[in-house]
Amino acid sequence: MSEITIIEKKNIAPDATMLFGFPDVGLVGVIAASHLIEELNLEEVAYIDSKLLPPLIVLHEGLPHSSLRVFANNNILLAVSEIPIAADIIYPVIQALIDWGKSKKTKMMISLSGIPIQERQDAKELKVFAAGSTPEMLKLAQEKGIDILGEGYMVGPQAVMLQKCANMKIPALTLLAQCFYNYPDPEAAAEVLKSLANIAGIQVDVKSLLEKGEEIRLKARDVMKRTQQELSGIKKTREYDIPLYVS
Amino acid sequence: MAIRKKKSFFDIINEYFSDVEELTSQFEDMFMEKPSWSQKNCTMEPLKEVTVTPKEVIVTVDLPLAKEGTIEVKPLDNRTIEISAEMKRKVRFDDFGITHHKGEFQRFYCQTRIPVPVKIDKVQFTLKKGILEVHMPRKHGERIPIE
């Protein structure tokens, strides 16, 4: 039996775009995912059950929920984690989600995340970069005016997702908005959502996200602190490293 | 020529306990789990980061909902600063949907250890997009000559 089980609560529509929003730098993916769930009224359709996850449940209105769930409507499947994923389970969790998404005949996978920049508080505008699982996906991003993350390292769930999708020839993109490393960044989440709208046609109004920015930052302090600990465990700062390519 | 006063037994013991206290505090910061809020003091602990550059130490602190003009940065000793700020409005546990704790918060409060010697009396700070930036020039020792 697999170490990870995805339990479906509702029927899943085919041809959806599968999105991933996990705790990472600036909590960009999670903030963006929460906004999508709220704005599009996405429903919980599945969750992950696994002994690999920490002994933790998330209580909502007194009822237990898995920390790793999938929300959906007819066009979107959104995998979101409320707690950072420990380094040693990133591979099995991402592999299980990708296998499951493929079995549901999703047409494309996109992970939403951030790329930290120094002096973020001085940045006038935040750029979004993309990396793709195939040359065709990179071309799609370029045609939509999104810069390509040409050279460098990527660390974390979105890196594993992209590699697995490349191996399995699944069209996939990782969208990375420039953000704070250690502080929740709703502005970066708004930017990544604008790029998502551009690429996949998933439109949401980001005005309310920006208006609630300070409240979100206050609420996200504890998750950010836990995420910082996991980021240090996966050596996230390698993303700052200058790569030495052996061709 | 300056005459160096010999340390008394009590000075040495006091220094020893001060060092132990400092190490305990550093250990607690690194490994002890504690809530990011204090019900008793009605304060929330903000996220913070310390960066050492060749010329200065920069402490940044995330202060969402902080009221500008109420931010205070005070040195506690040569290597510790205390940061506090009033919030624009009182924040209650209810605001986060939490019903099993009661209480409200109206201030941010934290203390930060500075990892290298600084001119603590030359502290300057600015607030940009709700991020407090505290700048402290470093105090450099004597250069070690290359033989």
Side-chain angles (χ1 to χ4, degrees), chain A residues 198-246:
Chain A
N198 199 3
I199 288 272
I202 298 166
Q203 302 280 349
V204 281
D205 184 9
V206 295
K207 201 175 148 211
S208 63
L209 173 61
L210 295 169
E211 281 169 359
K212 287 185 297 185
E214 285 191 291
E215 312 279 340
I216 293 168
R217 280 161 56 195
L218 190 72
K219 200 174 173 183
R221 285 171 316 123
D222 288 338
V223 177
M224 187 76 251
K225 206 169 174 182
R226 300 274 174 200
T227 304
Q228 287 169 7
Q229 290 160 2
E230 292 301 338
L231 292 178
S232 133
I234 60 172
K235 306 239 182 304
K236 183 73 182 176
T237 47
R238 275 191 187 149
E239 287 187 356
Y240 288 125
D241 290 0
I242 295 164
L244 168 69
Y245 287 108
V246 181

Side-chain angles (χ1 to χ4, degrees), chain A residues 120-124 180 182-184 187 214-215 217-219 221-222 224-226 228-229, chain B residues 33 36 44-45 47-49 60-65 88-89 91 96 108 128-131 133:
Chain A
R120 157 70 183 92
Q121 57 269 43
D122 295 323
K124 295 267 187 307
F180 284 113
N182 274 333
Y183 302 140
E187 277 183 38
E214 285 191 291
E215 312 279 340
R217 280 161 56 195
L218 190 72
K219 200 174 173 183
R221 285 171 316 123
D222 288 338
M224 187 76 251
K225 206 169 174 182
R226 300 274 174 200
Q228 287 169 7
Q229 290 160 2
Chain B
E33 296 267 324
S36 64
M44 282 191 150
E45 191 181 337
L47 293 167
K48 58 183 191 276
E49 193 177 11
T60 63
V61 188
D62 191 20
L63 295 175
L65 287 179
K88 285 178 198 160
R89 62 171 180 81
V91 175
F96 306 122
F108 283 109
K128 292 176 193 168
K129 295 182 182 171
I131 306 283
E133 260 187 40

Side-chain angles (χ1 to χ4, degrees), chain A residues 131-176:
Chain A
S133 63
T134 63
E136 293 75 27
M137 289 306 288
L138 280 185
K139 197 175 164 212
L140 171 69
Q142 277 173 318
E143 281 168 3
K144 299 288 182 181
I146 298 171
D147 288 323
I148 301 305
L149 192 71
E151 316 287 329
Y153 299 112
M154 194 189 288
V155 180
Q158 67 277 19
V160 177
M161 174 267 189
L162 206 58
Q163 181 63 61
K164 297 280 178 200
C165 285
N167 295 347
M168 295 166 75
K169 302 199 170 15
I170 295 170
L173 277 176
T174 291
L175 296 176
L176 304 150

